[in-house]
Amino acid sequence: MLVQPQSCRYGVPAMTHIPAYVYCLFLLLIWMGVSRCLPRTVRIERLAIMPIIMVVLGIRGFEGLFSQPTLLDLLLAAVGLGIGMAVGWRHVSAWKIGVDRTKGALSLPGDIMMLVIILATFAFEFLLHAAAEMHAAWFSAPAAPPLAAAIWAGFIGMTLGRNLHLLSRYMSVPERSADQLG
């Protein structure tokens, strides 16, 4: 009779340790995503925050799970980035936004896209770490790193594309000169 270790349930080994910072990061990202579901006014500089967070998490996640990226990994990451940027750009193209060049601010409608991107990215990252911990066969396949790179870059591209489109719309509104302000 074979006895499974207590850490196993249904024949699948459990992840032994999830650091506390993962829960804190998850709650922070949920808060950020939910806040994007409501109409808001943001300073133009804040458009850089989410793409930077996504790039850092994507690179850190890839390097933590796989060895150095290969040329194929980089190629598929570039394809994923391009597709993600196109999706993000297209998504916000129909938005009605307010531009206040004097305050350097944008008035944006509420939208669920960022919450979906955050949740999907977190789930994807968690799945990869769980697969690595459980030594899943598919995780060791040669296609896993390039596909992971493409998916991570796609998520990055969606945030980058949407924010670059918002920035381009902000920049296309002429700034009023001092004599027009009166």
Side-chain angles (χ1 to χ4, degrees), residues 44 47 89 163-173:
I44 196 71
L47 292 178
W89 186 281
N163 289 1
L164 284 175
H165 188 204
L166 292 172
L167 179 64
S168 74
R169 289 175 66 184
Y170 173 85
M171 298 303 287
S172 69
V173 173

Side-chain angles (χ1 to χ4, degrees), residues 11-167:
V12 178
M15 291 182 69
T16 56
H17 178 66
I18 299 173
Y21 78 87
V22 171
Y23 295 108
C24 294
L25 178 63
F26 180 69
L27 292 174
L28 173 68
L29 292 173
I30 290 291
W31 174 77
M32 289 175 71
V34 169
S35 69
R36 300 311 188 273
C37 293
L38 304 170
R40 66 208 179 279
T41 300
V42 297
R43 295 205 31 89
I44 196 71
E45 299 86 16
R46 291 190 58 198
L47 292 178
I49 293 173
M50 206 57 199
I52 290 172
I53 289 173
M54 296 295 286
V55 166
V56 169
L57 292 177
I59 290 173
R60 191 165 182 262
F62 188 88
E63 287 179 346
L65 290 171
F66 305 108
S67 60
Q68 286 193 288
T70 65
L71 188 56
L72 181 59
D73 299 341
L74 296 174
L75 177 64
L76 282 181
V79 169
L81 183 69
I83 291 170
M85 286 181 70
V87 168
W89 186 281
R90 176 100 171 104
H91 178 75
V92 299
S93 63
W95 282 7
K96 292 186 183 349
I97 64 171
V99 175
D100 186 345
R101 292 288 303 254
T102 58
K103 292 182 181 177
L106 287 169
S107 295
L108 304 174
D111 181 59
I112 197 167
M113 180 185 186
M114 190 54 64
L115 179 61
V116 170
I117 291 169
I118 288 169
L119 291 175
T121 302
F122 196 87
F124 176 67
E125 176 97 14
F126 195 83
L127 171 74
L128 287 177
H129 281 277
E133 186 80 18
M134 294 185 303
H135 305 289
W138 65 265
F139 184 77
S140 301
L147 288 176
I151 292 169
W152 262 312
F155 290 138
I156 293 166
M158 282 189 251
T159 61
L160 186 60
R162 73 189 288 279
N163 289 1
L164 284 175
H165 188 204
L166 292 172
L167 179 64

